[in-house]
Amino acid sequence: MTSHQLLCKSEVVEDRDTRPQVASRVAADLLRAAGAEVTEPADGALEIDRTVSCRLSWAGPVALPLRSEADVQATCGVMHVHGRRYGRPRLLSVDFASVAAGVLAAGGALAVLRARELGAPYREVEVSAAQAALLGLSQYLAAATAEEPSAEPVGVGGPPFRSSDGVWFELETLTPDGWLRFWTELGVDRRLVGRSWLPFQARYGTATCPLPDELFAAADRLTFRDVAATAERCGVTVTPTETRPPVVGGVPWRRREGAAGASLREVAPGGRGPLDGVTVVEVARRVQGPMAGRVLNLLGARVVRVEPPGGDPLRGVPPMTTLDGEPVSARFAALNRGKEVLEADLRSMEGRSAVRELLRGADVLLHSLAPSKVADLGLDAESLDAVRPGLVYAQASGGAPGVATDYPVQARSGLAALLAPPGLPPQATLLTVCDVLGGLVCATATVAGLTARSRTGRAQRVESSLLSATRLLCGAVGTPDRRPGDGVEVCTDLSALTRDPRFAAALDGSGCAVVRPPWEFRT
């Protein structure tokens, strides 16, 4: 019997909902924040603006009797990936799958509302927590099924580090030079620092980060003030962990109206999905922005990704697979499959002109550029008003100065404190929950902007961040004693999951495992 076979049918008990309540609440809150009227009829579906029904379920097309967040985390691999740093599967203590499903449901429903206003006959959208969980594990599923195997770091442990005065902190640097300078200044042998760079660098893709004890001992010899001063000299950032979330919940984006877009002509979507006919220009790297672009593409939009000459360097990060006849990183393919590419050097006048020309026929600019760089590139909202009246301008960020990546955001938001097992210090999950949820929120905010533009005829500016998205998770803490239902077996092998026929309707296995669109739209 494989780890994905169900031993017996799970029984429904009092604390196991027949539908994901957290997902419904998140979806309703986000829809209302976008200006929609939401009611909940007796059948449990969300009724939106009296015209669209939004249904949420646990399993969707996954042929397993899932009836709780714990069931979904167990069978869909969330427990497995989160537990890699501990050496065994562990439940996330927040409702990651449910929150992700709620955000996806809101985005899908808003896309349907917009499509209906343009004449498309959509009337219902359905999303499941299982599909949301699988989408959240996209890069891990792709890596596990890549054509080319790769040697990846394995082992337990990882940050945070602790200073001599008891401050737990996350450290972030994207360059080996900063990593080497920091730790050698703290007195660690250069060879040991060099060997530890690979697991640290790869942790975003592997969810493991085994580091030598010497690094933790070196950090423990300095006060946090001295650690921070050393980090500043070496060009790395350190983020102290909050012991509890300072802010929970709230609307995870900000939307403002811009100039009128009277020249825009919108047509009813075709067969690709409710955003068919929408063109998105994506200028983003790593996970958050590309995940947002991927979601918009799955909703039917044409997404043109701007990459530097020669292509994004992340295309060559192992393990490799084949996409459209070319070798490419499996993790990169998971986030960018289906997108078109424009290679342009944004540092040159020619490259910037090429992007601005592309934007003349676009509906959305989606970017994760640093605010300090946007105006210099001529890609600020004010400059683009003249290039493309009525543009939806979507900006994704970290959310606070010096906090721009997943694990520092977990520390800063207090999420790491919520996720730590009892008796342990605040510990971020190495599953990139903030990057993933940040991407889903950015995509939903963008659809909210498109929907508002269709109604008002005016440009829209939407801003979302990793930090604001993470607050949704901080407000969705599960019960301490929850566990998967009787007979629900825990996934311990993602490649086996992708071969399980009960997941076939949710996954596309061509090249490497890729998650299918997580919505079902009905007319």
Side-chain angles (χ1 to χ4, degrees):
M1 180 172 288
T2 71
S3 61
H4 293 91
Q5 289 179 306
L6 200 64
L7 300 181
C8 62
K9 186 174 181 179
S10 302
E11 295 182 359
V12 179
V13 295
E14 288 185 2
D15 61 344
R16 295 164 66 77
D17 296 323
T18 56
R19 66 185 178 98
Q21 302 289 343
V22 169
S24 294
R25 174 178 57 79
V26 169
D29 288 348
L30 296 185
L31 286 164
R32 291 186 179 111
E37 178 185 339
V38 182
T39 57
E40 296 189 51
D43 65 357
L46 299 176
E47 197 71 30
I48 306 152
D49 286 358
R50 297 187 177 90
T51 60
V52 173
S53 178
C54 179
R55 297 184 179 276
L56 289 124
S57 65
W58 288 114
V62 175
L64 290 170
L66 309 178
R67 292 186 174 87
S68 72
E69 171 77 20
D71 287 359
V72 172
Q73 288 195 27
T75 59
C76 294
V78 174
M79 282 182 62
H80 166 57
V81 178
H82 168 57
R84 287 178 179 177
R85 72 169 298 156
Y86 302 105
R88 58 187 176 86
R90 290 191 67 98
L91 273 169
L92 273 171
S93 55
V94 293
D95 292 340
F96 171 63
S98 294
V99 171
V103 176
L104 286 168
L110 288 169
V112 165
L113 287 177
R114 174 185 175 275
R116 284 182 60 86
E117 290 182 358
L118 297 173
Y122 292 109
R123 60 177 177 83
E124 186 173 278
V125 57
E126 182 173 350
V127 181
S128 73
Q131 290 165 286
L134 294 171
L135 186 63
L137 296 183
S138 293
Q139 63 169 331
Y140 307 101
L141 291 165
T145 54
E147 299 166 3
E148 175 191 80
S150 67
E152 297 183 342
V154 294
V156 300
F161 304 96
R162 187 182 65 177
S163 62
S164 62
D165 49 348
V167 178
W168 293 95
F169 64 92
E170 286 284 343
L171 182 147
E172 182 65 285
T173 177
L174 303 180
T175 66
D177 179 64
W179 177 258
L180 180 63
R181 289 180 59 197
F182 178 81
W183 290 112
T184 52
E185 280 212 26
L186 266 60
V188 182
D189 181 82
R190 291 174 65 91
R191 290 170 295 184
L192 189 62
V193 176
R195 288 196 298 271
S196 64
W197 169 248
L198 176 60
F200 181 81
Q201 177 195 39
R203 71 199 191 284
Y204 281 96
T206 64
T208 61
C209 189
L211 297 176
D213 292 339
E214 288 84 349
L215 271 61
F216 297 91
D220 201 25
R221 289 193 288 267
L222 296 179
T223 66
F224 182 73
R225 181 177 180 179
D226 290 337
V227 167
T230 304
E232 185 175 4
R233 288 196 303 272
C234 298
V236 305
T237 59
V238 290
T239 306
T241 57
E242 295 283 351
T243 57
R244 63 179 60 86
V247 181
V248 173
V251 180
W253 65 69
R254 182 174 66 168
R255 181 175 62 84
R256 294 172 292 162
E257 286 193 350
S263 62
L264 291 172
R265 294 181 65 252
E266 297 187 280
V267 296
R272 281 172 46 89
L275 293 189
D276 192 8
V278 171
T279 296
V280 177
V281 176
E282 175 194 308
V283 187
R285 293 187 61 183
R286 298 182 69 81
V287 177
Q288 179 191 20
M291 173 61 83
R294 173 66 175 157
V295 170
L296 296 172
N297 181 246
L298 291 173
L299 282 167
R302 172 192 177 219
V303 178
V304 184
R305 178 174 167 78
V306 177
E307 298 186 13
D312 191 320
L314 296 179
R315 288 179 173 273
V317 175
M320 304 294 285
T321 191
T322 301
L323 180 64
D324 298 328
E326 298 290 336
V328 69
S329 165
R331 295 190 185 96
F332 186 89
L335 295 172
N336 296 291
R337 185 182 187 187
K339 300 176 184 177
E340 302 173 27
V341 176
L342 169 70
E343 292 188 7
D345 184 357
L346 294 179
R347 296 169 299 181
S348 70
M349 184 178 298
E350 293 80 4
R352 294 192 294 272
S353 295
V355 173
R356 288 165 68 89
E357 188 62 31
L358 180 62
L359 285 167
R360 292 185 190 280
D363 300 281
V364 176
L365 171 63
L366 165 64
H367 78 83
S368 59
L369 299 166
S372 60
K373 296 181 178 179
V374 174
D376 292 340
L377 296 174
L379 296 178
D380 54 298
E382 291 74 15
S383 297
L384 294 178
D385 279 343
V387 175
R388 180 55 161 163
L391 186 71
V392 174
Y393 187 90
Q395 177 178 335
S397 69
V403 180
T405 53
D406 195 294
Y407 310 128
V409 169
Q410 291 190 47
R412 174 71 174 266
S413 66
L415 179 62
L418 296 178
L419 296 178
L424 292 181
Q427 291 186 341
T429 175
L430 294 178
L431 165 61
T432 55
V433 292
C434 298
D435 277 337
V436 168
L437 194 61
L440 304 188
V441 165
C442 180
T444 298
T446 302
V447 180
L450 284 165
T451 305
R453 188 189 70 173
S454 292
R455 291 175 174 174
T456 66
R458 303 186 69 86
Q460 302 291 319
R461 301 175 188 177
V462 294
E463 300 170 11
S464 65
S465 70
L466 297 178
L467 200 56
S468 62
T470 303
R471 292 169 185 153
L472 295 178
L473 286 177
C474 293
V477 181
T479 58
D481 58 347
R482 66 179 179 173
R483 59 181 177 82
D486 294 338
V488 176
E489 196 158 335
V490 178
C491 165
T492 57
D493 183 346
L494 294 183
S495 62
L497 181 154
T498 65
R499 297 190 299 270
D500 189 324
R502 290 168 296 185
F503 287 86
L507 299 173
D508 181 352
S510 56
C512 60
V514 177
V515 180
R516 297 182 189 273
W519 312 269
E520 183 175 350
F521 298 105
R522 303 183 184 94
T523 58

